[in-house]
Each structure stands twice: as C-alpha cells, then as structure tokens.
Amino acid sequence: MSIMQYNGGSVIAMVGKDCVAIASDLRLGNQSLGISSNFEKIFAMTERTYVGLPGLATDVTTLHEQLRYRLNMYTIKEERTMEPETFIHLVSSTLYEKRWGPYFIEPVLAGMQKTPSGAFRPFVASTDLIGCINFAKDFVVAGTASEKLFGVAEGLWEPDLEPEDLFETISQTLLNAVDRDAYSGWGAVVHVITKDKVVKRTLKGRMD
Amino acid sequence: MPDGSYERPQQRQFNPYSENGGTILAIAGADFSVIAGDTRQSEGYSIQTRYAPKVFRLTERAVLAVNGFAADGNMFVKKVKQRLEWYRHAHAKDMPLRAIARLIQTMLYAQRFFPYYVYNILGGIEEDGTGAVYSFDPVGSYEREACRAAGAAQSLVQPFLDNQIYFKNQTPAPGTNHPTHLPLPDVLSIVIDSFTSATERHIEVGDGLEIYVVLAKGRSTQELASIGGLQELSTRAEGDRMFVIRRDLKKD
C-alpha cells in the first residue's frame, strides 16, 4: 500500500456565502491499526487562514513547522499578515522545492481573502503532494476518503450556504464519507470561518 | 538450444478479463423497486459505446443490473434468462424474486474458480408485494438490502445513499422516527442526483441513464405521471407494472 495511505486521514473545505468551512477526521493509524483518535490535521496559520494537512503523519508535523517558519519570516519582513491566496503559493513552492523527494501531504486550504475594497471573500484551494494548485470555486477534498468525499459533496453542496447551513453540509459530507473509509474517522472537527470569527466544533460520530 | 547457445526464457499470457466501467444502483421502497444504471461502456480511457444497457428486465416483476466485465455480464444475463424460461415451461409461472436471487447465487458460485467478473444487483417485487433489492459479489455471496450501489462510482454513490436513504449521521427530531422506506418521487430524485454527481466526478460514468421502476400490483401510477422520458414495459395493467425512464447524462 502507498505511503499516502500509511496513517490514514481526510480533509475537506467548502465555500459558503461570506464564509468558508474546513473539516477533518481525527484518526491516526498505523495501516489498519488505530493509534490515536485525537490527531488534529487542521492548523490555524493566520486569523483567517486554516490549512489541513492529510497524508503521512511525520510530514504533517514537519510541513506544519516549515510553513509556520516561512509564514513568520514573511510577517516579520513585510510587517503584515499573509492572505490565503498568497499562502497557497507559499505551500506550493515549499512542496515543489522537494519535487524529487516530496512530503507525502496533500494540503487543503480555507480562508477569507481580503479584497482591494477591504471586504473579505471566501477562498478555498488544495494542492497535490508536489504543489500543483487546484483553485476550486465550490469545494476541495484530500486524504484516504477523497473519492467518497467527492461523491457526497457533489450531492449535498449548493452555492451561497449561510454559515450554519454550511456547517451542516460539510459535517454530513465528512461523517458519511469517513464512515465508508477504513483509514479515516475516529472523530471529526469542523471550523467555520467568517470575516470576524471562527467557530470550531468537535463532532460526535461513529468510533469504529 | 541444441547447438549449446542460450536464449532468454519467454513468457506469454492471455488475460481473459477486462473492466468496462459504469455504475449501477438500486433502491427498494415499501411497494416498489427502482433499479438504475448508466449506459456508457468504456475500456481504459476509450469509450466503446455511449449506449450499452446494463439493466435488464427478467420477468414481469424482476430486474437485473450487471456491472463489471461487459462480456461476462451479457453472457450471465443470457444464461439467467434461459434458466427462467425453463422454469416457466416446467411450472407455468414466473420464478419468484427470492428464488431468482438464490438461482443467481448458485450460477455465480458454479464458476467459483473462473468467475463471471461482474457485480449483480437484482431488484423487483417479492411474492408478498414488498419492494426488494438483492446485491451479489462476483462469486455469489448475496444479501437483501434497502439500497445498494456498485461499479466504478460505488465509492462516490454509496456514502451518499447511506446519508439520504438510511439517514446515517442524522438525528430525528425528538418524538419522531426516520421513515424505513421513502416515497417514489424522493427515490427517483436521489437516483438522478446520484448519477449526475457520479457523472460530474467520474470519467467512466455518463452518456445515458436508464431507470427501471417496478410497482407492486394495484399500486397507483400517479407519481410517475409527471416524469419525462417514461415508457411502460408491462403488458398487463392488472399485475405488477414495470416502467423505464431514459435520461441523458453529460457526455464529456
């Protein structure tokens, strides 16, 4: 089995009306053996930028540290916070730097992007393990349950969902997808991001 | 070689199987059954035809959907139909659904060591008038269920069905329960949504959609009146009735 499936785990992000949501499972496994049901793979990079890092667990930690370092350097030099669209390019170049010995991670990003007028617009994107960016208008998925996530999300998602409806949609999509995946599950966490607040909820789901 | 020189050992192999894509799906209602499949047939990245039916009428009240290796699938359906004809000659009636299910098991298991490379889903009406779905693996292991998806987009469709048919991960409002069977219009909407979703994200699914609807004897056909692309297949209006709905799916 591929190294991408070694530890299991899945992430999904969706666009709503003036909001975005990003959600993941909490499983860390060693092939079919469950190790932890408290392994978070979504990280807050800025106040309005969240990144999910499903894939090889050792690289989840390493890549998170690497991205945090580069983001901090940018913040210090530029004296401003990084926007999500900039951040996904940082992720992309960080991954492509290791083109011939990649981090086994497929990052998923969700954030509120500042527009020239000073307002915020929802933004999601994902990349493959060598940094090829996918700018999706609706939703992005990654991880061992990605096929299932695509199927359910394609059926449930609709444009312009309000934060509470977006939360319901992303939660149902994630829970039902991971319940059909042996390598994902064991709890779930959802972040709903709006321009002035982030709501994090831990979901009760099947623990088998 | 006889002259003392060496040659590399050669190996040849014939692979008798291939995989022809597509997806099938069936959902049972209280007194009806819906069996659907797309009509694209492909091999690798090439489309062989945009119209190759995967869903077949077996009797007045039984429909079989076959997915996997098309050659095996067509041969298997041919043989099942032949066995059902023999049954009619011997017993002067159609074989009941649960008996067809058991027949399919024995026919599949007879090929245990050179299997038909197909996933079967059998749908229809039982003798007691209830809607039924039976799903099989390639060697005949089977089970009666309320719904099942199989084929190329099984992994996309099945979790969606878990959510929409079995109401998985949904809590009913206090003092209420989830329905065990959905009404026909809801089922048809879910089937069409499932295939449009699968077509959107899976390259092997698309072109056309055939939805077979089997209604138990005496059941109203009212809910089908407004459906476009409907054709009746049953010959007698007094028994169980069968319809097919043909729809286009995206061709890209």
Side-chain angles (χ1 to χ4, degrees):
Chain A
M1 176 147 283
S2 153
I3 198 81
M4 296 297 290
Q5 274 85 52
Y6 189 71
N7 300 117
S10 300
V11 181
I12 179 169
M14 282 180 175
V15 170
K17 190 176 194 301
D18 302 319
C19 60
V20 279
I22 181 167
S24 83
D25 67 332
L26 287 171
R27 183 177 182 271
L28 176 128
N30 182 205
Q31 311 233 50
S32 57
L33 174 66
I35 300 294
S36 167
S37 57
N38 192 29
F39 186 76
E40 296 209 19
K41 353 180 182 320
I42 296 177
F43 305 98
M45 301 311 292
T46 74
E47 281 193 328
R48 293 185 191 85
T49 309
Y50 282 67
V51 68
L53 303 173
L56 189 69
T58 182
D59 289 348
V60 172
T61 319
T62 312
L63 188 63
H64 174 226
E65 290 299 310
Q66 175 87 273
L67 293 171
R68 190 167 70 99
Y69 169 72
R70 292 185 169 181
L71 185 75
N72 286 342
M73 291 306 286
Y74 176 99
T75 316
I76 293 163
K77 284 179 180 163
E78 297 273 327
E79 295 183 318
R80 61 190 173 115
T81 55
M82 194 184 274
E83 289 302 313
E85 208 167 322
T86 318
F87 185 74
I88 198 67
H89 283 97
L90 175 74
V91 171
S92 174
S93 50
T94 305
L95 289 171
Y96 198 77
E97 210 169 64
K98 296 274 183 287
R99 172 64 179 78
W100 308 110
Y103 293 117
F104 297 102
I105 303 282
E106 292 183 339
V108 165
L109 181 127
M112 295 301 282
Q113 173 85 20
K114 200 171 213 157
T115 55
S117 65
F120 289 93
R121 88 181 145 81
F123 177 83
V124 297
S126 66
T127 84
D128 66 7
L129 76 169
I130 51 170
C132 176
I133 309 172
N134 165 24
F135 298 101
K137 284 194 272 287
D138 42 13
F139 53 83
V140 285
V141 303
T144 53
S146 59
E147 277 197 21
K148 288 121 186 164
L149 287 164
F150 268 128
V152 187
E154 195 64 57
L156 296 185
W157 187 87
E158 49 187 280
D160 297 323
L161 289 162
E162 296 294 333
E164 283 309 304
D165 298 331
L166 184 67
F167 165 71
E168 198 61 36
T169 306
I170 199 170
S171 302
Q172 287 295 322
T173 304
L174 182 74
L175 289 173
N176 290 287
V178 300
D179 284 354
R180 282 277 174 182
D181 182 28
Y183 299 111
S184 298
W186 261 24
V189 64
V190 182
H191 304 254
V192 181
I193 307 158
T194 46
K195 69 176 196 310
D196 45 24
K197 72 167 188 280
V198 179
V199 182
K200 178 185 176 185
R201 295 185 180 91
T202 306
L203 302 179
K204 183 170 169 246
R206 290 178 70 107
M207 296 301 273
D208 58 355
Chain B
M1 302 302 286
D3 66 356
S5 69
Y6 291 95
E7 255 192 40
R8 285 167 176 274
Q10 292 190 30
Q11 209 174 58
R12 284 174 229 284
Q13 207 175 49
F14 168 64
N15 184 190
Y17 292 121
S18 72
E19 182 91 52
N20 299 110
T23 278
I24 52 171
L25 154 64
I27 300 170
D31 55 358
F32 67 87
S33 190
V34 175
I35 306 94
D38 71 325
T39 63
R40 176 175 292 182
Q41 190 178 102
S42 58
E43 194 167 10
Y45 293 132
S46 305
I47 295 172
Q48 291 176 320
T49 169
R50 298 193 191 276
Y51 186 70
K54 281 191 276 292
V55 193
F56 302 93
R57 195 188 84 117
L58 294 180
T59 68
E60 293 276 292
R61 44 162 47 180
V63 175
L64 184 62
V66 193
N67 193 229
F69 179 30
D72 273 5
N74 292 329
M75 196 62 200
F76 185 70
V77 170
K78 189 172 159 179
K79 293 207 165 192
V80 171
K81 281 183 170 170
Q82 187 176 57
R83 292 288 294 268
L84 292 175
E85 189 178 326
W86 291 344
Y87 183 96
R88 266 194 300 276
H89 290 320
H91 300 95
K93 65 164 188 151
D94 278 338
M95 190 185 279
L97 195 71
R98 58 189 213 103
I100 299 174
R102 183 62 65 87
L103 173 72
I104 288 172
Q105 164 164 78
T106 55
M107 289 178 69
L108 289 169
Y109 198 80
Q111 293 291 336
R112 174 62 178 78
F113 297 107
F114 186 22
Y116 290 109
Y117 204 70
V118 288
Y119 285 89
N120 283 287
I121 301 178
L122 174 70
I125 307 293
E126 295 279 19
E127 282 174 303
D128 64 3
T130 58
V133 165
Y134 291 91
S135 66
F136 300 80
D137 80 351
V139 287
S141 181
Y142 79 110
E143 180 182 15
R144 186 180 167 182
E145 294 173 291
C147 79
R148 170 61 64 187
Q154 182 191 38
S155 59
L156 285 78
V157 176
Q158 191 67 51
F160 179 66
L161 259 27
D162 291 342
N163 188 226
Q164 297 294 312
I165 305 291
Y166 293 120
F167 298 101
K168 289 279 170 71
N169 294 113
Q170 288 189 264
T171 320
T176 63
N177 284 108
H178 289 310
T180 38
H181 293 289
L182 291 171
L184 182 56
D186 295 24
V187 169
L188 289 175
S189 302
I190 290 167
V191 169
I192 293 166
D193 283 356
S194 297
F195 276 95
T196 37
S197 292
T199 302
E200 200 65 45
R201 294 286 179 176
H202 201 112
I203 56 168
E204 293 175 0
V205 182
D207 291 331
L209 173 59
E210 284 190 328
I211 309 170
Y212 281 70
V213 183
V214 196
L215 303 180
K217 186 172 134 181
R219 191 188 190 284
S220 163
T221 59
Q222 184 61 42
E223 292 155 317
L224 286 171
S226 60
I227 302 285
L230 187 78
Q231 185 197 337
E232 177 151 12
L233 298 175
S234 39
T235 46
R236 299 174 300 118
E238 62 273 14
D240 303 296
R241 298 179 73 176
M242 192 181 293
F243 299 85
V244 62
I245 301 162
R246 292 199 174 82
R247 288 289 179 89
D248 277 345
L249 289 171
K250 286 171 70 178
K251 293 181 196 298
D252 58 358

